[in-house]
Amino acid sequence: MLERPGDQLLKHLTPTRHPGLAFTDRTAGADWLHTEAGCMLACARRHAADTGEPLRKAVDLLQALNDLIESGTYSRMYATAATDLLAATRTAGDARAEGRARTVLAHVHSLAGRFTAADEEAAEAVRLAHECGDVLPLCIASNFRAIVGIYQQRYEEAETYCVQALNSFRNDGNHNGAASALSNLSRIHGHTGRTESAVRLAEESLDIYRDLNVSWRLANGRYAYGMALASAEQHERALAQFSEALSIFRSNRQRMWEGWSLYRMAEIHHAMGDHAQGASHAEQALARLRGISGEWRRGDILAVLGHCLDRLGQRERAYACWTDALSVFEQLGYEKEAAAVRGLLRLAKA
């Protein structure tokens, strides 16, 4: 695989009888992927009426196209196809295909901020993986459970899932997957005050991506390294990593990750006292994510933008941002985040 050397996904997919297309470089492959995305997703969805090998191939196609959902551009089409195929696998009684479909849907839910639903799908995918002896969801779904645990601040559970995913990836010889799990483990260490090991784990992950000579996944490694450095309050170094990640994401048309990188840069500028630059990056993040990313991230960005505007003396704009953020968090049922914003609004009124 041009984009993901060291990934073992291909060996786990249902075999096909056609050789497929060959691409000489990553750019050509990415161009074809984005040009044909709608057609491929429609094709996968059409096979929801099938059983047996065609249904399994349709589910595997979604697994192979998972980079599309992270770009943000095809999120709705991807989610619809995943939902339809999961229903089809359950009707067909195909536990192996169901486990993979649930893994895909866990990814969809996690990126949209529906973390409880994501964890439920991933947990069932892991159960089915054990039942069927299917390595693929055992690796990937465990990793998603770790990610969900991080966002829900269940760090002890998240670490357990992350170690499970890391061991599964390593046993499968999947270096890309191992790097991803190490990145998530780094974030857990950072959130729990183990900042030195967080930086070390992120460096280990980044080294794997460098050794594999991957393209935009290298940006994921830099993003994770930036998170680790930020947890250690090494703000200048963290900012440099997010800036590098942003450049790579842009060149690979990963709009969602562009927006998330801009958000992280806004956080760091705010922490460094550069509130004007922080506000600028937060506004860019909102613009980049408009229509392609979950409302949960919009709420986070609005909260940071409000902080920056407040420090710049733009109190009315800050209040408006926090009001919008509160609305987002209340609609999603994110009580902890909502309570924090309510506190800011009370102080602003005082």
Side-chain angles (χ1 to χ4, degrees):
M1 297 170 70
L2 287 172
E3 183 55 48
R4 293 194 183 189
D7 197 327
Q8 298 298 307
L9 176 63
L10 284 180
K11 77 176 186 182
H12 295 295
L13 300 183
T14 305
T16 65
R17 290 183 287 274
H18 303 283
L21 301 175
F23 300 101
T24 57
D25 58 64
R26 291 167 174 160
T27 300
D31 287 344
W32 183 87
L33 175 65
H34 285 269
T35 299
E36 300 295 335
C39 180
M40 287 188 287
L41 290 171
C43 179
R45 190 180 179 194
R46 185 179 70 81
H47 285 290
D50 294 328
T51 58
E53 187 176 292
L55 179 58
R56 287 189 170 191
K57 286 181 178 178
V59 173
D60 283 354
L61 178 58
L62 286 191
Q63 191 76 70
L65 296 175
N66 67 76
D67 286 357
L68 286 177
I69 190 174
E70 294 198 24
S71 75
T73 309
Y74 304 95
S75 298
R76 289 189 177 90
M77 287 184 67
Y78 193 100
T80 299
T83 302
D84 289 351
L85 285 170
L86 174 58
T89 62
R90 297 188 68 189
T91 299
D94 189 333
R96 175 179 175 274
E98 182 185 343
R100 294 188 179 199
R102 288 188 182 278
T103 300
V104 169
L105 204 54
H107 196 185
V108 170
H109 287 316
S110 67
L111 291 176
R114 298 186 292 269
F115 299 123
T116 299
D119 193 51
E120 289 172 353
E121 295 293 355
E124 185 63 9
V126 170
R127 186 191 69 77
L128 289 166
H130 282 295
E131 179 183 300
C132 301
D134 189 8
V135 172
L136 191 60
L138 192 61
C139 298
I140 300 172
S142 296
N143 206 28
F144 287 150
R145 295 206 76 187
I147 292 169
V148 169
I150 292 169
Y151 284 122
Q152 293 187 326
Q153 300 178 24
R154 296 183 288 107
Y155 299 122
E156 186 175 348
E157 289 179 48
E159 187 159 355
T160 297
Y161 300 137
C162 201
V163 171
Q164 290 173 354
L166 178 59
N167 291 335
S168 295
F169 280 127
R170 283 174 168 167
N171 289 337
D172 192 42
N174 190 327
H175 302 298
N176 254 290
S180 174
L182 284 167
S183 292
N184 293 326
L185 192 57
S186 167
R187 290 183 64 182
I188 294 166
H189 281 225
H191 282 299
T192 53
R194 294 169 285 175
T195 56
E196 288 186 11
S197 57
V199 171
R200 185 175 65 253
L201 287 163
E203 288 173 340
E204 185 178 350
S205 172
L206 187 57
D207 285 343
I208 292 173
Y209 284 128
R210 285 196 188 108
D211 290 344
L212 292 172
N213 191 30
V214 297
S215 179
W216 77 268
R217 287 294 168 186
L218 177 63
N220 287 134
R222 292 197 178 280
Y223 184 98
Y225 193 25
M227 292 286 289
L229 292 168
S231 73
E233 297 186 354
Q234 299 184 39
H235 294 135
E236 291 286 358
R237 294 181 65 199
L239 201 57
Q241 292 300 318
F242 285 123
S243 181
E244 288 282 350
L246 177 61
S247 178
I248 298 171
F249 287 136
R250 278 179 172 161
S251 66
N252 285 273
R253 290 172 284 194
Q254 294 296 317
R255 282 182 59 196
M256 186 194 75
W257 281 105
E258 285 182 57
W260 288 15
S261 297
L262 286 163
Y263 159 59
R264 296 301 183 186
M265 293 171 78
E267 284 188 311
I268 293 173
H269 280 300
H270 170 58
M272 294 172 65
D274 188 352
H275 306 299
Q277 194 63 55
S280 175
H281 278 97
E283 288 169 342
Q284 290 177 59
L286 287 172
R288 203 67 187 127
L289 293 174
R290 187 172 293 119
I292 68 165
S293 190
E295 282 290 285
W296 65 286
R297 185 56 86 196
R298 180 170 168 269
D300 289 337
I301 300 169
L302 284 166
V304 170
L305 179 57
H307 280 296
C308 292
L309 293 172
D310 183 60
R311 292 299 183 89
L312 291 169
Q314 300 183 35
R315 303 292 164 74
E316 290 186 5
R317 288 186 64 199
Y319 193 89
C321 286
W322 289 331
T323 301
D324 288 346
L326 177 60
S327 177
V328 169
F329 292 141
E330 287 181 336
Q331 288 175 16
L332 294 173
Y334 286 16
E335 185 50 41
K336 184 174 181 179
E337 291 82 354
V341 175
R342 288 192 199 101
L344 293 171
L345 290 170
R346 283 195 296 270
L347 287 173
K349 281 184 177 180

